[in-house]
Amino acid sequence: MNAMTQTAAKTGTALASIVFAALVGATVIFFAGHAQSATLHDAAHDMRHATGFPCH
Amino acid sequence: MIQRLFAGGLVAGFAAGLFSALLHFAFIQELILLGEKYETGELVHFEAGATTAQSEGHSEAAGTDESHEHDVGEASEDSALSRNAKTVLFTGLIYAGYGLLLVAGFAAAEQFGRKVGPREGVLWGIAGFVALQLAPAMGLAPELPGTAAADLDARQVWWLATVLATGGGIALLAYGRGVIGYVIAGALLAAPHVVGAPHLDQYFGVAPSELGAEFASRVLGVGLVSWAVLGWLCARAWNSGQS
């Protein structure tokens, strides 16, 4: 029983870590690729064109 | 695990981004600069282009003053340097974001007993390229600066929906079971293109179509190579961090 609880807790932590990493990744992609603040847009401009993001 | 995810995703992703930036300057940047010359009206492609040439300004494309040619030359060299540095930084960043997504995928696959080694990593990378670049590009072709396009919000929504549907479709094709899985995968892959990307009713391009076509091809080629390297690097980093 104890071992099962431990396995479940381990899977839960792993799932939380996976979701967290994916969310951070998606946030980075949003700010670098999609956010429309003028500073971000100008700085990321060439990269956005070169990776096919809808730029402006 | 969280350390392994971040070390693998961020570091390998940023490294792949630096490689991609190298390819960017070898293949893409010259076309962006040429596209901007048409965008600002410095170059004109046929007479029709002249009327719409000034339509959309870019802060980078500041006018030059002939009387201070030398100063302007130095200043534009500085601004080109800072512009290119930002491109390197943001290419590294965007690939770090892609890398985190990939490594999160590796970790999720591992939970289901599927180990992702460097070879599978390359395939994952190519699948990522299809989901995040190729499929969206079939509706919204990579834009040379100076291209007029439909409303930005509508395009971003279509882009995001396409990425999610294509990513889900590929995952189902690769790991799904049974006919129903394949049918749903096919529907997910096709749906964004059946709906169609937002487009304008007319064409307003001021640059030669040959230039736009070459730009789009090079963007996709560089993307494919960069993503394959990203997948390989991320899988290596992910496996080397295994305890």
Side-chain angles (χ1 to χ4, degrees), chain B residues 55-73:
Chain B
S55 59
E56 208 175 339
H58 275 265
S59 56
E60 299 91 344
T64 52
D65 184 350
E66 301 266 69
S67 62
H68 296 94
E69 217 168 66
H70 185 66
D71 293 350
V72 167

Side-chain angles (χ1 to χ4, degrees), chain B residues 78-144:
Chain B
D78 272 357
S79 80
L81 193 68
S82 121
R83 174 180 180 168
N84 292 342
K86 285 175 193 157
T87 301
V88 172
L89 176 70
F90 274 89
T91 308
L93 263 183
I94 200 83
Y95 276 88
Y98 295 155
L100 274 176
L101 285 187
L102 269 187
V103 174
F106 297 167
E110 208 164 86
Q111 295 295 311
F112 290 100
R114 305 261 189 172
K115 200 170 147 45
V116 180
R119 282 186 191 182
E120 293 82 12
V122 172
L123 290 178
W124 277 70
I126 293 172
F129 163 75
V130 172
L132 276 111
Q133 284 192 25
L134 186 63
M138 285 176 69
L140 302 169
E143 289 171 13
L144 191 69

